[in-house]
Amino acid sequence: MARVAAAPLEKANIQLETIMVSVEARTGGPRPVSVATSDGKEQCFDEVVVTTPLGWLKQHQDSIHQLHPRVASAINSISFGRLEKVLIEFPVAFWESDAPDSENDSSDRISFMHWLSPSYASQTNPQRWRLECVSFHAFEEPYRRNILLFYTSGDCSTHITTSIRELQGDARDQWLRAFFEPYYSRLPGYTKTCAPLRFLATEWCNDDFAGNGSYSNFQGSIATEEGDRVPQESFCTLKFRYLARRLMLETMDPVCAVGFASAVITFVHVGTKVVKRLKELSEAGDVPEVFRDIRTRLPLLTSVVVHTQHKIDSLSPEAREALEEVVRQCFEQVSQLDELLKKVAVSVHDSSFKKSIRAAISLIEEGRVQRIATALRDNVQLLTFLDVTPTEKERPTAERWASEPLPSYASVAGLFLVPFIRDEQFVGRQDVLRLIASSFEAQSRVAISGIGGIGKSQIAIEYCYRYKESRPDAHVLWVYGGNIARFYQGYKRIAQRLEIPGWDDPEESILDLVFSWLSSTTNPYLLVIDNADNIEHWWPGKYQSGPSLDDPTRNLSKYLPDGLENSKLLITTRDTRVAGRLVKKGKPIAVQPMSTEEAKTLFLSKLGEEGPEFDELEIQGLLDELDNLPLAVSQAAAFIVENGISIKEYTDALQGEDAEEFLNEELDDSRRDEESVNCVFRTWKLSYDQIKQQKPRAAELLCLIAMLDRQSIPRSLLKVPEVTTSLNVLLSFNLVSARAGAQSYQIHRLVQRFVQLSLQRENDTQRWQETALACVSKDYPMEIGVAEWPICDALAPHVHVITGYNYKTMEARLDLAHLLCWAADFDIERGMYIQALRRASESLKIFRELVPERDQRLAAATWLCGRLRYYQAQSSSDMDAAAELLQQALNVSEYPSLNFAESAFELAHLNYDRCNEKACLEMGKASFECWTDKEGPNSSRTLDNMQDYALELAMLGHEEDGIAIWQEILERCPASNASEKTKTVYTYRSMASIAEFEGDAAMAEIFYAKLITLCEAMYNSDHIHVFDYRLSHAEQIMRQGRLKEAAQLSGAILASCKNTFEWQITASCWQTIAECCRLGKSYSDEQAYRLKTLELHEKRLGRNHKATVDAQDALAECYQNNSRYSEAKDLYQSVISWRNVGLGRAHPDTLRAIECLGVCHAHQGQDAEAELAFMDAIGRQSNVDARLLDNLYHSLWNQGKWETLESWSRQACEVDNSYRLNARCSLITALEQQGKREEALEVRAGFLTIGVPDENVREEKPVLRYPPVRGDRRFGRMIHPRTWSA
């Protein structure tokens, strides 16, 4: 610097801190230019070069005399921005807490931050000015500092500099800290200990000599002579280009001038270095082909970029903006390539081992290099598309004036401006293409809409090629509608290629020119507006969601042609609102996911012809997981091929934690617009972010929906503000779809996964899970009857989903416990006892943890859990555990209360199953007495539980007591608070029960028939009560001997209950039909139904459940009646084994099974085994059954065990019962067979003493006697209806 300054300091007269007042040109004199200064002096010069900030010049224009009018006009027209900088130093670079530690690795460091429109600093920044920040910690050593440099501009700069103008020291720092803390405190790693050390702020806006802020990176706008405001991007096209360009270099963004030139130079430098390294790498050995391809293409790209530097002045503002972005991308891609080559570059001095390692790395990184190569190739194409490469025109556009004649655009016929090649592997969508063609027959505008990734653009591309084939003379035009700049570029390209008059006149509006041509031409054409997704671009005045630099009066919808006979306008969009409004007539075409066959064909085509054979089921599983979404299918195929994984591995990853990584993988596709995202998750993120900006409530609703089951979401469940308009937005973006009647909705499986993963990244999952839980809990019925079944059915899948989440807060966990209880109650109604038990157990666990010991919520959960443990009991220990829970619930329940009454009710049933008559009747009575005390003697619940108690009495042999209670029910009915129809039900049911237990099956049949008719009217023909009464009706007909009729009725019930959850109805029907077969001695038919019944019980309840064991017993008896004794013995042994433990060794059902086993042995001639069985049964009885003794005599007789027979016969003779005569006969035979004739004569004489004629004393062998058949009368929890709960 000293060397450069030496000559001026030595030979020039430098006057610092001297204010220039004026510069004036004079006529005459040796030196015609005079410069006056503030100290009153005047100096004259031959020539004067003045450099000054634009702001100062605008304020002191009169200081420079005799400016040319056009120069003065330019100075007045050009505005300037205001750029200020604030540097903040911190003790540590907390924002780099997760960055790499290596000093040489800065690739992952945070270098730039941008706050676009901050809304969280309303006190200090109510206007939501945007801010930018650069980190000095991203620099290489020794320049790295713990400093953040904030850039401000415009009104924000003026506000800051004005506020701190008069502040000094700590007051100044405190103001700056208050203003900037909301922004740097949101950077990662920030804590309260990261307080700034010092602040340094520029104040250009306070400096008069700086023109009050004219040092700026941000342009303003230009005022034309007519007073209109022209966007800043257009000022360089004014006719005084030279002056404007010279002034621009003083005031514009450096990226537009010096920055752009520097970026090109840097890109060329790095690109040349990369080409050199690629050459060295190729010479060192074999490298992947993609490296060679880049080596060939990169010099071409470098040349093209250099060429653009010389043509930047001739570009439109939009093209210049796009060009700068392309050059930036090229620089990033080449820089990535340069870093990658450092890893794989080899030297002639490297060892063979090191060369092999680097070669392996090059192969590993081949996929990444391929993506860079594709991006570079696409950028070359984009440069061509922007017309910045050499064109067919010899003269630059900037040199043609509007007055010059142009070639006739009418001579240019049949242009095809679709910037994508045709997909030779295009799959399916024939129905959509036909629908587009047929729609164009009735209207000139057609729109296709659908969720991102559904294939809208691909359908449009295919339609363009088909249309061109059918109409070669027609123009096919393509415009990207995703943003305003690209829409302008598309229209500019159309105008240029069609050479519309005025297309190159800077004062003409391109949009108006093209619109006018499209609206008046006689040439046929097809215009495609692709990705018209943002409704704010089409009607900004109506749908503007926030501040925007765009003019709201210039909406793009005004520039779309309409109504011409030969014109066709095809629109693709994610937003059905845009589609519907732009189409005007007719409905948009909704694009749905592919069919299974189409998706499969697409998937296999993307995998390539050469590849392994894939499993059909694995392919189908993956397509189901992707819901046949085309972009997701293509993305999956590309990922599988590129990474060499299996279909199953990819499918498993989608269902796990790696889903986001897989679905965020970019898909290289030259047929998608460069601004379109080529992966499903990022595609949906664009829609999601747009919704959050336009309608935050809709984004919140989507978060809620994502926490529920994805299908059949009832509208009533979505209890959020603005639900109607929010749903409309989600439906418009096709993120959710409406089902029949728009009363329920569903969300795409992958969209749901996307939202869930997005919430995980934002650490907001727990809040929305709790919100979903609260919504379902509020909607779920607390007491479940018939009227509530449809509601519970609709909520069942959502309950299944939300009860699987892990909740942290006490409030949410209590909500979960309540919901689990209610859902378990409904599971019982549906016969889903295993799921109900799991839910009840989880609910009980939560209540035990969170509520006091005698809390009634805990009592209810304990009762419910005990009830389900009883229903699912498969052993004696299970029954004990159920009884213990029910007793606990009874002990902690308030009296009188529902918890107490229901606990007692279930204990009554449990004790009935355990043959504990005393406890059964005690609990049954306690249950109905509790309801009496709680609701009165005539309440519906009291009468219901009286009915249950009466049935318990009758089933346990106290028929008279039971009938007395039923008669009491009849007396109380008139005064009951139940409805008239329910009172009639009580009356008919009591009368039917009385008739049944009095043995009057015909009368019972009549009343059950009346109950069927009444309940069908009250409920419906498929209700559980109706099925139960129909079964009872068939049972009464069977007891009257009308077996065929009873079997037919049971078959009819069986046919009509297929769609119900009550599998027990099916089991009862089969049992009734089997009983009819037994009574009719059709044992083979009986066997079929007994087998089906057993299989059903095993499937539903398991092998060790009491009901399953009873079904085994019934089948064994069937085998026995059918003389299939071996099969019967096996089943009886299994039944005995369970009942010994489950019911007890002395239980009547256990003893009967043992006796039946002995009978089977006896029929097979296995008298020794039969004797053991009979002896076992006798040994367990307190009062020996004479029939059992008779069967024992039979086995002893066959074995010739006369002494044993004598002993047992003597014991039987001492018992006064109906079998005493048979015992004396057996005793006589046993004595005679042992030669004890005198004793035999004494016993025979005893017959004469008691008056038995000698001819009646038979000495024949005793006959085997079967135990009485087990009663099949139905009773208990499974079938018997509870009227009040219905």
Side-chain angles (χ1 to χ4, degrees), residues 241 313-314 395-401:
R241 291 184 178 84
D313 294 337
S314 64
R395 285 192 299 171
T397 301
E399 295 180 8
R400 179 177 287 144
W401 296 88

Side-chain angles (χ1 to χ4, degrees), residues 732-752:
S732 298
F733 279 87
N734 295 283
L735 294 176
V736 301
S737 56
R739 297 173 70 89
Q743 293 305 307
S744 66
Y745 302 86
Q746 66 180 20
I747 183 173
H748 192 288
R749 179 185 285 106
L750 291 181
V751 174
Q752 182 187 44

Side-chain angles (χ1 to χ4, degrees), residues 1234-1247:
Q1234 296 178 72
K1236 302 179 180 179
R1237 298 186 180 278
E1238 292 183 2
E1239 293 184 42
L1241 289 173
E1242 288 182 6
V1243 175
R1244 191 181 295 274
F1247 280 113

Side-chain angles (χ1 to χ4, degrees), residues 208-325:
D208 293 336
F209 296 104
N212 300 104
S214 63
Y215 174 70
S216 173
N217 274 5
F218 301 92
Q219 301 168 21
S221 59
I222 301 170
T224 65
E225 293 178 359
E226 291 76 13
D228 298 329
R229 303 296 293 180
V230 179
Q232 58 181 8
E233 295 86 359
S234 303
F235 80 89
C236 66
T237 61
L238 293 173
K239 291 186 177 178
F240 0 90
R241 291 184 178 84
Y242 180 76
L243 173 64
R245 194 176 302 124
R246 292 291 301 274
L247 292 174
M248 175 185 70
L249 293 175
E250 296 293 330
T251 61
M252 70 180 289
D253 188 334
V255 176
C256 298
V258 180
F260 179 72
S262 176
V264 172
I265 293 171
T266 306
F267 169 73
V268 172
H269 172 71
V270 177
T272 304
K273 183 171 61 173
V274 168
V275 171
K276 180 180 179 181
R277 284 185 174 172
L278 285 171
K279 180 180 179 182
E280 294 173 353
L281 187 62
S282 300
E283 293 173 352
D286 294 335
V287 294
E289 187 63 30
V290 65
F291 285 91
R292 302 181 190 275
D293 182 60
I294 291 180
R295 180 189 169 190
T296 303
R297 292 180 182 274
L298 193 53
L300 174 62
L301 179 61
T302 304
S303 176
V304 171
V305 171
V306 171
H307 180 78
T308 65
Q309 182 184 4
H310 303 297
K311 295 191 64 179
I312 188 171
D313 294 337
S314 64
L315 297 179
S316 67
E318 293 79 7
R320 186 189 307 114
E321 180 184 354
L323 172 62
E324 294 162 4
E325 177 64 19

Side-chain angles (χ1 to χ4, degrees), residues 13 84 468 582 596 606-607 654 687 743 872 905 1149 1170:
N13 179 14
E84 298 289 350
K468 187 63 176 176
L582 290 181
T596 301
K606 299 299 181 182
L607 290 178
L654 291 182
S687 299
Q743 293 305 307
Q872 289 294 104
F905 174 84
D1149 287 348

